[in-house]
Amino acid sequence: MALLRAHWKEFGTAKDGRLFSNERGGLLGTSSYWRVWQEARPFALPPDKVGSPLARRPYDLRATCITNWLRAGLPVAEVARRAGNSPEVIHRRYAGVVDDSEEENNKKIEKTMGWGSPGC
């Protein structure tokens, strides 16, 4: 966060409020993101991961973020809202991350209802 604040303090924002812009204050092109990410990866990743597929494209970071939100237990509807997708898209794309195990879901229900405690 400090790095973004320093950037904002030094460069301000573009006329439309964007934090990052091109040299003329306009939109950054896709190739700019790609070029900068390729230059940054060796600094952002451990040496043994630079050649791996880990975060090969900037878009991979978005998928990682969504996966982490789901694994943290955020509701699918909230993840969808934050990601700018529908819950259906999140379910379809990240089905393997969302815990839809009947056994686990039954345990959650039992815990909530107080049925899972010993002696019940």
Side-chain angles (χ1 to χ4, degrees):
M1 206 59 162
L3 187 61
L4 287 175
R5 283 193 188 111
H7 176 86
W8 177 63
K9 186 176 180 180
E10 183 175 346
F11 298 103
T13 61
K15 292 176 188 172
D16 65 359
R18 292 177 185 264
L19 185 57
F20 300 107
S21 61
N22 64 20
E23 297 82 13
R24 296 174 301 284
L27 294 175
L28 284 174
T30 314
S31 62
S32 296
Y33 285 107
W34 177 257
R35 181 183 46 78
V36 170
W37 182 242
Q38 293 310 308
E39 292 174 12
R41 274 184 91 242
F43 296 103
L45 298 174
D48 62 320
K49 299 293 184 190
V50 173
S52 76
L54 179 66
R56 190 171 307 262
R57 305 165 301 167
Y59 186 80
D60 296 336
L61 299 172
R62 181 178 188 276
T64 299
C65 183
I66 291 170
T67 299
N68 286 338
W69 288 340
L70 291 168
R71 286 187 176 151
L74 268 68
V76 171
E78 177 63 10
V79 171
R81 184 190 69 78
R82 290 174 182 243
N85 287 114
S86 69
E88 294 78 19
V89 167
I90 297 297
H91 269 293
R92 186 172 54 249
R93 174 69 175 85
Y94 299 92
V97 177
V98 179
D99 179 22
D100 282 335
S101 160
E102 186 171 357
E103 182 179 337
E104 287 300 313
N105 290 336
N106 286 343
K107 287 179 185 177
K108 290 175 187 176
I109 292 168
E110 290 171 3
K111 181 180 178 187
T112 300
M113 300 299 289
W115 300 338
S117 58
C120 286

